[in-house]
Amino acid sequence: MNKFAMAALGGTLAGFLATTYVAAPLFAQDARETNVYEQLDLFGDIFERIRAQYVEEVDEKDLIEAAIGGMLQSLDPHSSYLSPDDAANMRVQTRGEFGGLGIEVTQEEGFVKVVSPIDGTPADQAGIEAGDFITHVDGESVLGLSLDLAVDLMRGPVGSEILITIVREGEDEPFDVTIVRDTIKLTAVRARTEGDTVVLRVTTFNDQTTPNLESSLIEQVESLGGMENVNGVVLDLRNNPGGLLTQAIRVSDSFLESGEIVSTRGRNPEDGERFNATAGDLIDGKPIVVLINGGSASASEIVAGALQDHRRAIVVGTKSFGKGSVQTVMPLRSDGAMRLTTARYYTPSGRSIQALGVSPDIVVEQPRRVPEAEEDEVSTAIRQRSEADLRGSLNNDSLSEDEIRQIEADREKTEKAAELRLEDYQLAYAIDILKGLNALGPKE
């Protein structure tokens, strides 16, 4: 009887414990929800007190938008609220034309940091550099302002002037730069040839990028007389602040036959996505050098990381910016939108670039621009006197006229390469790598 009673008591106790263990998470969930509702009540109370008692009459809509903006800003530098006007501007930018200075910015330690200037824009022409900190706009400090508010200060009518104060590494004092606002027309891809090399300068990833890249590449290959005369491609992603993920995938796919390009992973594992290459390489396996620097961010890093991991390209330059997060733009009521960080992206080898960036295979710093007076001295030093310059020197009688002309043509190419080193050392280095790869011959 006692054993039966103990067994019954044990069963009752076990049932009680099981009920307690099951109920505990429910109690915790209820407590969290109660706490959330209390906080929302607190928000409503503060909102009403501001509206009723603030020293001046306030706009309720502005108050609520500011609260939403502050909530998103507290998450990370890239989540933000977009007013209807801002959302409309963003949609225009992805199509490739908008008004402004022509810089991509982020926020760091309360200041506005330049991710990169966009080629050919007022900011680029004014000498703004990746890594610059903007501390004041027209004499007004941006310290403590949200990124959206700081950007609003820099906006204005096309043709109007803006004075921005810059702090730059290596400069002892802050300095002011005057920029005239203009309509920014983005040319997504600029292409040219340097000798037998096709140089594809990708400035942004918008709706135009892949079509521009394909058409520009075809045009340059035709100018060289066909793919058999091309020794390789330099894909220049320096100071490219990124853009559309879909375009980064398509550009990578243009040079890959198969394999993963990029994967994204959010809070829930089931929300992750993988994007794979499809068959077809625009340049038939010709070697590629990708150029990056500290202004290469987001979509640029996806392309560089994918081609690097697949050993499809040699990455040259300096470490990239390190923006490895994905933002999803979600439409809201009244035509506004919310930009929310929803995932991190990973290269094919499974590495996250967030805060680390892409490390180049070969680190090549870009020297500071040499002043014109010094350039003249350098050019003079390059053109040193030789035996042929001496009065009465003997001719070379072992070569035919055709051979001499070929030597002179080769020498002219070499001298142009030397001039390019003075103008753009990193690009010249990339072209030298392609020449070296071709000198070794095709892989067996």
Side-chain angles (χ1 to χ4, degrees):
M1 182 69 178
N2 288 339
K3 290 183 179 180
F4 178 79
M6 289 297 292
L9 179 60
T12 304
L13 181 60
F16 173 74
L17 289 173
T19 305
T20 303
Y21 288 140
V22 171
L26 298 177
F27 290 151
Q29 182 177 347
D30 289 342
R32 284 198 300 271
E33 290 182 356
T34 300
N35 188 49
V36 168
Y37 288 126
E38 287 176 352
Q39 294 297 316
L40 289 174
D41 285 341
L42 175 61
F43 173 82
D45 184 32
I46 292 173
F47 175 77
E48 288 299 333
R49 292 194 184 198
I50 292 172
R51 187 166 64 165
Q53 299 177 21
Y54 185 65
V55 65
E56 294 177 355
E57 189 173 346
V58 294
D59 187 306
E60 292 90 344
K61 181 175 177 289
D62 290 343
L63 275 180
I64 293 171
E65 286 190 352
I68 294 171
M71 178 168 55
L72 288 165
Q73 183 189 346
S74 71
L75 300 173
D76 64 78
H78 307 294
S79 295
S80 62
Y81 170 72
L82 301 173
S83 68
D85 288 342
D86 291 340
N89 289 335
M90 185 203 66
R91 287 189 288 270
V92 171
Q93 288 182 32
T94 59
R95 292 195 295 270
E97 182 175 325
F98 58 96
L101 305 180
I103 50 175
E104 177 79 10
V105 294
T106 187
Q107 198 162 41
E108 187 172 302
E109 297 179 0
F111 289 106
V112 176
K113 183 178 181 180
V114 177
V115 174
S116 67
I118 300 169
D119 284 2
T121 62
D124 180 42
Q125 293 165 358
I128 302 300
E129 297 181 3
D132 284 348
F133 284 92
I134 299 173
T135 61
H136 293 75
V137 174
D138 288 330
E140 183 176 343
S141 174
V142 299
L143 180 62
L145 293 182
S146 70
L147 186 59
D148 287 339
L149 287 176
V151 169
D152 283 342
L153 285 178
M154 289 185 275
R155 289 180 177 147
V158 170
S160 61
E161 282 192 351
I162 179 175
L163 181 73
I164 61 176
T165 304
I166 297 292
V167 171
R168 177 177 295 166
E169 185 178 355
E171 298 287 342
D172 294 333
E173 299 289 337
F175 58 92
D176 293 334
V177 178
T178 299
I179 305 177
V180 178
R181 298 178 178 96
D182 199 358
T183 299
I184 310 301
K185 294 182 179 180
L186 296 181
T187 303
V189 180
R190 293 185 175 93
R192 71 180 196 272
T193 56
E194 289 285 348
D196 300 329
T197 301
V198 176
V199 180
L200 298 172
R201 169 82 180 112
V202 182
T203 59
T204 188
F205 287 88
N206 61 25
D207 290 336
Q208 304 172 18
T209 301
T210 304
N212 283 179
L213 183 139
E214 292 174 353
S215 60
S216 298
L217 179 61
I218 290 171
E219 183 179 332
Q220 298 305 317
V221 170
E222 288 177 351
S223 73
L224 290 173
M227 190 62 72
E228 64 274 10
N229 297 320
V230 176
N231 71 357
V233 167
V234 174
L235 188 62
D236 188 352
L237 301 178
R238 291 173 297 175
N239 292 329
N240 183 322
L244 300 176
L245 173 64
T246 52
Q247 289 294 314
I249 293 167
R250 290 183 63 188
V251 168
S252 302
D253 194 6
S254 298
F255 304 107
L256 293 172
E257 288 283 0
S258 62
E260 183 180 304
I261 294 172
V262 67
S263 63
T264 63
R265 304 176 202 170
R267 179 194 294 183
N268 301 316
E270 62 270 18
D271 293 335
E273 290 185 279
R274 293 182 183 275
F275 301 91
N276 296 312
T278 55
D281 179 350
L282 287 180
I283 58 173
D284 301 329
K286 293 281 185 177
I288 303 172
V289 173
V290 176
L291 280 176
I292 61 170
N293 64 5
S296 306
S298 189
S300 301
E301 296 172 290
I302 290 176
V303 175
L307 297 181
Q308 185 182 53
D309 280 3
H310 282 286
R311 299 190 177 184
R312 181 65 185 89
I314 297 172
V315 179
V316 172
T318 56
K319 183 174 74 70
S320 63
F321 185 75
K323 181 184 177 294
S325 59
V326 179
Q327 282 69 48
T328 302
V329 178
M330 305 174 183
L332 300 173
R333 301 173 190 174
S334 304
D335 295 326
M338 173 174 65
R339 185 191 289 116
L340 186 66
T341 300
T342 54
R344 290 181 175 88
Y345 66 73
Y346 295 79
T347 69
S349 64
R351 58 184 167 137
S352 170
I353 294 167
Q354 177 61 27
L356 295 177
V358 174
S359 296
D361 298 305
I362 303 173
V363 175
V364 180
E365 298 280 352
Q366 183 80 302
R368 288 284 180 182
R369 180 80 187 198
V370 179
E372 290 185 10
E374 294 181 28
E375 279 186 7
D376 292 339
E377 294 177 10
V378 173
S379 299
T380 302
I382 291 173
R383 295 191 298 271
Q384 293 179 351
R385 288 170 63 81
S386 68
E387 170 72 15
D389 295 320
L390 298 179
R391 184 180 300 171
S393 62
L394 297 175
N395 293 327
N396 187 319
D397 61 357
S398 66
L399 299 174
S400 68
E401 290 185 5
D402 287 342
E403 288 172 326
I404 291 172
R405 278 194 292 270
Q406 183 60 49
I407 289 172
E408 289 174 346
D410 292 342
R411 182 181 296 125
E412 185 179 353
K413 286 183 180 180
T414 304
E415 289 173 352
K416 283 185 178 180
E419 291 174 4
L420 183 60
R421 288 188 189 92
L422 295 175
E423 179 185 338
D424 189 339
Y425 182 75
Q426 289 175 323
L427 177 59
Y429 199 104
I431 292 171
D432 284 345
I433 290 174
L434 291 175
K435 288 179 181 176
L437 290 172
N438 278 274
L440 293 174
K443 294 179 180 178
E444 296 296 333

